Amino acid sequence: MPRTSVPDSVSGPLSWGYKRSVFLVSNEPLDPFAGDPEDPAAELAQLDSAEDLDLLEPLSLREREEILAELGDLDVFRTLLEPRGFRGLVVDCEGCAEPHYFDWDLLAGNLRHLLDEGRTRVHEPAYAPDPACYVSWDYARGFADGAYEASTASEADTR
């Protein structure tokens, strides 16, 4: 399997001297009904007509690069925020106008699915999430930027 990573030429807080890779992110949660002939969701696949699937355009190279960058960013966010007790990210859903709380693994799995399949999965809100355990993507990015700034300032002070 080819190793896909963000080029070393990327600069800023999310490129702290290491290559990011989709292989650094753990696998998505397993489907508890996988292989079950009585899978209650099996009928959902029939709702996607072959015609609809044929109309689905593959992701462009730019879109694929953006998803890979998001996976890399997500790995950095998790590395910085999970030890502080954050379970994942909250995303405002345009489709249902509700906030969706994603644990780290689930969000990474959804991004990998988008990368592999070219479309997102049907989503379901988490059951009774504690909003205090989730941060927005913007907050996570700001936290990573702040950690990077503090790191570079600390390095400059030690010189």
Side-chain angles (χ1 to χ4, degrees), residues 68-81:
L68 287 170
E70 287 179 358
L71 280 165
D73 291 351
L74 185 63
D75 186 47
V76 171
F77 300 161
R78 182 178 191 170
T79 299
L80 293 170
L81 295 168

Side-chain angles (χ1 to χ4, degrees), residues 61-73:
L61 180 58
R62 180 181 169 99
E63 290 169 325
R64 294 182 65 76
E65 289 172 349
E66 288 173 357
I67 295 168
L68 287 170
E70 287 179 358
L71 280 165
D73 291 351

